[in-house]
Amino acid sequence: MSDFAQTVKQQANIVEIIEGYIRLRKAGAANYSGLCPFHKEKSPSFSVHAVRQFYHCFGCGASGDVFTFVTKMENVSFPEAVRIVAQKCGIPLPKKEYSSPEEAAEARLRRKLLDLHDAATAWFEEQLNGPEGAVAREYLAGRGLDPEGIKTFRIGYAPDSFNALRDYLSKQADAEALRASGLFSQKEHEDGTHGPLYDRFRKRVTFPIANEGGRIIAFTARTLETGEKAGPKYINSPETQLYSKGQVLFNLDKAKAAIRQAGFALLVEGQMDSISVYLRGIRNVIATSGTAFTEMQVNILRRHTTQLAVNFDPDAAGANAAEKSIALLTEEGFDLKIVTLEDGLDPDRYIRERGIDAYKRAIMGSRRQADYLIERARQLFPGASAEQKVKAMNFLLPHIRRIPQKLIRDQFAADAAQKLGIDSVVLREELRQAALKRRDHVEVKASVITEVERVLLRALAVVDPEFEPSRRLAAQALAEQPAWFEGLPSFPALQALAVRNAADPIEAVEDDGQRALLAVALLGETQPPGVAEVFSALQEIQERAIEVRLRGIRAQFAEAERRGDHAEVAVLMQQKIELDQALRKLHQQRPPEE
C-alpha cells in the first residue's frame, strides 16, 4: 500500500464511509450492523468494527477494509477507491500517475466534462436571473418554486440562441470536449461530414441531473412554448461518458441520508414531482426520470434501502412504468407499497392543490403491492365472466411468479382469487398451482360444467310444453338477477338460451365453445328437470353469489380497519348483516308447486 493510501486509511472512519452507502445500527461498544450490500438478505448479518476498521458479513463471507468496500460498491480499481475515500474525508489528492496515455486522456476528458457541466449549470442560472429569464421565472413561480428552491436544485434557463452557450464554453474547452459533453448538437451532411456545433437546449427551463456524489452530469430541459413548433415537452442529455439514463436516480445525492433515516425511499416518476416533494419537507424522495427501473438502478438503491413506496403518475404510461418497476423490484426482494392519489393527480399537482399534509396521509395510506395489482387487474379486465377472470389472472401471474418467497406467492394468489370473485374451484386451483410453480400464465381448458349448470342449461333448452314452467323459472331468474350467473363458464350459453327464438336450442348458441358445453349437458339428459330441481339449482347459484359478496366485504373490512376508516367499517358491517340475513332467508325458501 502506498504512503498516501496508508494516510487515507488512518484518517478515514470506516463506519462513516459505509454509512454513506447502507444503513447501519449500533450493535455493541464498537460494532455496527446492517443488511449486507453484497447479497440478498432479510436479517442483518453485515458487521463493521469501528476500532479495528474492518467489515465482515457472516452471511456471504465478504470482508475487508474501507478500500475493499468502496472498490466493490463502486466497481472501481483500488487506486480509484483510495481517491474516492480521500475525497469523502477531505484529504487533498496527490498528482495522479496513469498506466497508459489512453487512461490519462480519458481521465482528463472526464474531468473536463464535469467542469463543463458545472460551468453550464452556473451559466443557465445566470440566464434565469437575467432579462430573458422572466418568462421562465414566471413559469417556475406558477409551479410553486420560490428562489430558495430554485437555488437548491440549481434550476436555470437556456435562452433562445443557437450559439450563446457554445461561445461561452469555447473559452474553456476544445471542440472535441464540447462535442463529447452532450450539451450541443450538430447536423450530419449527406457526405458524412458534420456541421458546426449548436446549443442543444434553447428557450427551455433547465434541470441539472447529478450523480450520487452530487456532481452535475446531464440536464433535462422543459420547453416554455406550446404548439407544433415547441418540439418535445422535455429534452434530455444524450448518453455520454458521464451519463447513462438507466444508471442514475434523480435526487439520490440529496436524498440518501434521509432515506437511511426514514428507512424507506419514496419513488416518483418525474423530476418535477421529486423537486416539489423534496422542497416541502419529504427528503427521502427520488425519481426515475419517466422510465421504469433498471437493474443498475436497483443495485444503486439497494445500497441505501430495500423498502420502497412507489408513486408513479396514474396515466397509462405511468401505470405501465409502475408495473415494470414493481416486477423488477419484487424479483430483487424489495418490500413495496403503492401510493395512489385521488382524481388522477401527479404528486406535484396534488401537493399544490391539496397540500403537503394530504400527501403525507396518502403515503401513510399506501397499499400493499398485491392489493394495488389486483385492483389494476380488475380495472383492466372488468366483468365477472370466466374469460375476463382468466385474463385478470394472467395479468397478475408474472408479478406473483417473481416473488421469491413461496408462502407470500401463495397468499397473493389466495387474495387474488378472493378479490376477483373467482368462485370456480377449477380457476382457484389453476391460479394456486401457477403461483406455487411460478408460471407466467394459466391455460384453462374447456370447462367441465357443474351439475347446477347442467340443470339450468337443460331447463332453458326445454322444447316440451310439459316442462315449460321449469324453463320459465330459469329464464326469469336470469332476466332479474344476471349478476348471479356472470361467474359461470356457461353464462353466455345461459343468456342465449333464456332469450332464444329458435326452436332448436343448439342454434340459439352461436359460440362454438359454449355450444360444446350445451351439447355435453344435453347428451347426458334422460328427461328435462322439474321445477323443484331448477329451484334448487337457482338457490345454490344465489348462495354462491352471496358468499362471493361476503368474501369481498370481508377483504374490504380488513383494509378499512387497517386504514382506521371507521365510517367505512360501519357501512361494510351493515352490508354484511344484510347479506347474512339474505342467506338465512334463502335457506328457508321452499320451491314453488309445479
Side-chain angles (χ1 to χ4, degrees):
M1 185 181 296
S2 68
D3 292 341
F4 178 72
Q6 188 65 47
T7 300
V8 172
K9 185 174 182 179
Q10 289 172 352
Q11 295 186 34
N13 183 329
I14 192 172
V15 173
E16 292 180 359
I17 298 297
I18 291 180
E19 279 188 321
Y21 296 89
I22 65 172
R23 190 177 184 184
L24 295 176
R25 286 191 172 91
K26 207 163 191 337
N31 287 338
Y32 292 78
S33 67
L35 294 175
C36 180
F38 306 124
H39 79 286
K40 299 176 186 177
E41 63 177 6
K42 291 285 185 180
S43 302
S45 61
F46 183 85
S47 294
V48 183
H49 199 289
V51 175
R52 297 186 180 275
Q53 293 286 293
F54 76 94
Y55 68 87
H56 178 76
C57 176
F58 292 93
C60 68
S63 62
D65 61 10
V66 65
F67 299 136
T68 312
F69 182 86
V70 173
T71 297
K72 288 186 175 183
M73 293 300 294
E74 300 282 359
N75 193 25
V76 295
S77 63
F78 175 80
E80 185 68 10
V82 174
R83 185 188 67 79
I84 291 172
V85 175
Q87 288 182 326
K88 290 178 181 291
C89 298
I91 301 171
L93 297 173
K95 186 175 180 180
K96 185 172 180 179
E97 295 182 1
Y98 297 97
S99 59
S100 68
E102 292 77 15
E103 184 185 354
E106 186 177 332
R108 283 196 300 272
L109 178 59
R110 184 178 178 85
R111 288 197 300 271
K112 178 56 69 177
L113 295 183
L114 288 170
D115 292 341
L116 284 174
H117 277 81
D118 283 340
T121 303
W123 189 79
F124 287 141
E125 288 177 302
E126 288 180 13
Q127 307 314 304
L128 178 63
N129 293 319
E132 283 195 67
V135 175
R137 293 195 299 272
E138 184 179 346
Y139 163 76
L140 292 169
R143 297 296 298 265
L145 287 169
D146 59 19
E148 190 62 32
I150 292 170
K151 182 179 179 182
T152 298
F153 282 90
R154 303 197 66 185
I155 299 170
Y157 175 66
D160 188 13
S161 170
F162 281 88
N163 52 30
L165 179 62
R166 183 197 65 192
D167 292 346
Y168 176 74
L169 293 182
S170 293
K171 303 168 188 176
Q172 304 179 33
D174 56 23
E176 181 187 353
L178 295 179
R179 188 179 298 111
S181 70
L183 296 169
F184 305 97
S185 300
Q186 59 182 160
K187 292 182 179 178
E188 184 176 355
H189 302 308
E190 291 183 0
D191 61 1
T193 60
H194 292 85
L197 294 173
Y198 60 89
D199 294 2
R200 179 182 297 274
F201 307 119
R202 303 180 304 279
K203 207 170 183 179
R204 290 173 177 269
V205 176
T206 58
F207 299 90
I209 300 172
N211 61 18
E212 195 173 341
R215 296 296 302 272
I216 306 300
I217 57 173
F219 291 93
T220 290
R222 188 196 191 282
T223 184
L224 294 176
E225 295 183 326
T226 56
E228 295 181 3
K229 293 184 179 180
K233 187 175 180 181
Y234 288 96
I235 292 179
N236 299 311
S237 291
E239 301 271 314
T240 67
Q241 186 176 343
L242 294 179
Y243 174 64
S244 177
K245 190 174 185 178
Q247 298 180 15
V248 176
L249 289 168
F250 182 78
N251 198 50
L252 182 59
D253 58 310
K254 295 182 179 66
K256 56 188 179 183
I259 289 170
R260 291 193 298 274
Q261 185 175 2
F264 75 99
L266 172 63
L267 176 65
V268 297
E269 185 179 348
Q271 294 161 350
M272 195 62 223
D273 290 330
S274 179
I275 291 170
S276 184
V277 171
Y278 182 91
L279 291 176
R280 286 165 177 82
I282 301 177
R283 300 297 170 85
N284 55 324
V285 60
I286 55 176
T288 59
S289 301
T291 60
F293 243 55
T294 67
E295 288 189 17
M296 184 63 73
Q297 289 170 327
V298 168
N299 292 334
I300 292 169
L301 184 58
R302 188 194 303 284
R303 301 172 189 168
H304 306 281
T305 186
T306 55
Q307 307 292 314
L308 205 60
V310 180
N311 184 195
F312 278 10
D313 291 352
D315 58 19
N320 290 335
E323 287 162 20
K324 291 177 182 177
S325 297
I326 288 169
L328 179 58
L329 289 161
T330 299
E331 198 164 30
E332 292 297 325
F334 277 70
D335 184 9
L336 303 179
K337 290 193 174 180
I338 314 300
V339 183
T340 50
L341 303 177
E342 301 149 4
D343 301 327
L345 300 179
D346 60 37
D348 174 45
R349 188 175 170 190
Y350 188 89
I351 290 171
R352 284 187 283 121
E353 293 186 6
R354 310 288 174 86
I356 189 63
D357 289 338
Y359 187 66
K360 287 179 179 178
R361 287 194 295 272
I363 295 174
M364 293 296 293
S366 57
R367 292 181 291 174
R368 296 183 309 148
Q369 74 176 88
D371 296 333
Y372 167 81
L373 289 169
I374 292 168
E375 182 59 31
R376 176 95 172 120
R378 293 171 65 179
Q379 292 171 356
L380 290 172
F381 307 103
S385 69
E387 182 183 6
Q388 288 295 87
K389 289 179 180 180
V390 170
K391 288 179 179 178
M393 287 160 55
N394 284 335
F395 167 82
L396 291 172
L397 276 171
H399 295 284
I400 298 175
R401 180 187 67 79
R402 286 181 168 87
I403 297 173
Q405 302 87 354
K406 182 178 177 181
L407 186 61
I408 297 177
R409 289 201 308 274
D410 193 25
Q411 184 60 52
F412 195 155
D415 290 346
Q418 182 183 56
K419 292 180 180 179
L420 292 173
I422 297 175
D423 193 44
S424 164
V425 174
V426 175
L427 288 187
R428 290 177 77 94
E429 182 59 21
E430 281 284 346
L431 178 58
R432 193 181 77 84
Q433 288 299 325
L436 289 176
K437 296 174 183 177
R438 305 184 79 169
R439 297 203 304 262
D440 269 339
H441 66 284
V442 295
E443 295 178 356
V444 180
K445 300 175 182 178
S447 301
V448 179
I449 55 176
T450 62
E451 185 59 32
V452 167
E453 290 174 273
R454 291 174 191 270
V455 170
L456 295 177
L457 287 168
R458 291 169 182 170
L460 290 167
V462 160
V463 291
D464 187 341
E466 181 185 347
F467 291 93
E468 178 61 20
S470 296
R471 192 199 69 80
R472 195 164 50 245
L473 180 62
Q476 182 180 353
L478 265 159
E480 293 177 355
Q481 297 289 349
W484 293 357
F485 307 87
E486 285 181 344
L488 300 176
S490 60
F491 178 54
L494 293 170
Q495 277 189 310
L497 290 170
V499 296
R500 68 183 169 94
N501 295 317
D504 185 353
I506 292 291
E507 292 180 6
V509 181
E510 297 180 358
D511 180 80
D512 290 342
Q514 292 293 306
R515 190 179 295 166
L517 294 180
L518 175 59
V520 169
L522 295 180
L523 285 172
E525 182 181 54
T526 53
Q527 70 171 18
V531 168
E533 193 175 358
V534 172
F535 177 83
S536 177
L538 291 173
Q539 196 173 36
E540 186 172 339
I541 289 289
Q542 187 179 358
E543 183 175 348
R544 287 184 187 177
I546 292 173
E547 288 290 352
V548 168
R549 288 188 61 192
L550 280 170
R551 282 200 297 271
I553 285 175
R554 283 193 286 268
Q556 291 175 280
F557 188 91
E559 178 64 20
E561 279 197 321
R562 188 185 69 80
R563 295 196 312 268
D565 190 340
H566 302 299
E568 180 73 5
V569 167
V571 170
L572 292 169
M573 180 60 75
Q574 182 59 39
Q575 291 178 2
K576 181 180 181 302
I577 291 171
E578 291 171 0
L579 287 172
D580 286 337
Q581 290 173 345
L583 202 57
R584 286 195 295 271
K585 185 177 179 181
L586 178 67
H587 292 156
Q588 295 169 1
Q589 289 180 358
R590 295 291 179 267
E593 295 183 4
E594 299 193 33

